[in-house]
Amino acid sequence: MSPADKQQRLAGFLAAHRDSGLPVTIQRRAVFEAIVERPDHPTAEQVYRAVRQDLPQISRMTVHRILGTFVSLGLVTKTCHPGSATRFDPKTHQHHHLVCLECGTIIDIEDSRLNSLPWPEVDPREFAIQDYHVHFHGRCARCRQKERESARPAAGPRGAGGPQDT
Ligand SMILES: [Zn+2]
Ligand SMILES: [Zn+2]
């Protein structure tokens, strides 16, 4: 993120607070600064650990509450997976994700073709669709590398495919 982008996000942060009449507290500012430049879609717990370095007094509860406020102000988005912790995303425009099924890494992907997919026809009394984004599931480079390393045959006289000792 360029310094100009960061400046712009901070201006958006201040404006959102002004418009909604919420005070810009030291805690809110620290949480926003901790998340705005992170590309890794941290959990609330990870944000808490980062903020605690500057504000050792802050509670986990406060960080959770502030993140919830940011979501309702549209300053960050949530990306959810059934059965795993909510991850927070400082990008609020429509974008998509590559999700590693092994380690949970989430990588942003921007592809305008994915922004105009047809929405399914659902009964609006049952469900009101607001938005969507696409998750592509797979395995990240680090996990694939680990797998290659563990699949490598152990070095020795009986290596795979080698001549048998007689
Ligand atoms: Zn992975
Ligand atoms: Zn994202």
Side-chain angles (χ1 to χ4, degrees):
M1 178 175 275
S2 72
D5 286 342
K6 191 176 178 193
Q7 213 48 48
Q8 202 189 344
R9 292 301 305 269
L10 271 173
F13 165 84
L14 295 173
H17 281 72
R18 200 177 46 234
D19 294 347
S20 57
L22 289 169
V24 177
T25 59
I26 291 169
Q27 286 92 340
R28 289 211 179 105
R29 196 172 170 121
V31 170
F32 191 71
E33 296 217 347
I35 192 172
V36 73
E37 288 192 276
R38 281 179 77 139
D40 63 340
H41 306 79
T43 62
E45 179 67 24
Q46 288 170 317
V47 175
Y48 164 66
R49 281 194 224 131
V51 173
R52 207 177 41 174
Q53 302 189 345
D54 290 327
L55 299 177
Q57 308 295 329
I58 200 165
S59 72
R60 211 176 241 111
M61 204 45 170
T62 303
V63 172
H64 276 257
R65 213 175 40 227
I66 290 173
L67 285 168
T69 306
F70 288 175
V71 171
S72 59
L73 291 176
L75 292 169
V76 303
T77 53
K78 264 184 185 179
T79 163
C80 301
H81 270 282
S84 65
T86 298
R87 309 273 292 264
F88 292 88
D89 192 334
K91 283 195 185 176
T92 52
H93 64 274
Q94 189 173 28
H95 68 285
H96 309 280
H97 292 131
L98 306 176
V99 182
C100 179
L101 291 169
E102 295 198 21
C103 68
T105 291
I106 300 180
I107 300 167
D108 285 330
I109 152 162
E110 310 263 357
D111 184 330
S112 57
R113 291 172 305 170
L114 298 174
N115 295 349
S116 45
L117 297 181
W119 288 20
E121 280 177 33
V122 293
D123 182 341
R125 285 167 304 184
E126 275 176 28
F127 197 93
I129 299 179
Q130 295 180 338
D131 196 9
Y132 73 91
H133 70 275
V134 181
H135 285 173
F136 293 93
H137 294 158
R139 278 151 58 242
C140 73
R142 204 157 6 122
C143 290
R144 287 209 329 275
Q145 176 68 26
K146 250 190 256 165
E147 187 181 270
R148 272 198 298 275
E149 277 163 15
S150 63
R152 200 173 286 160
R158 289 174 187 275
Q164 292 283 313
D165 289 333
T166 43

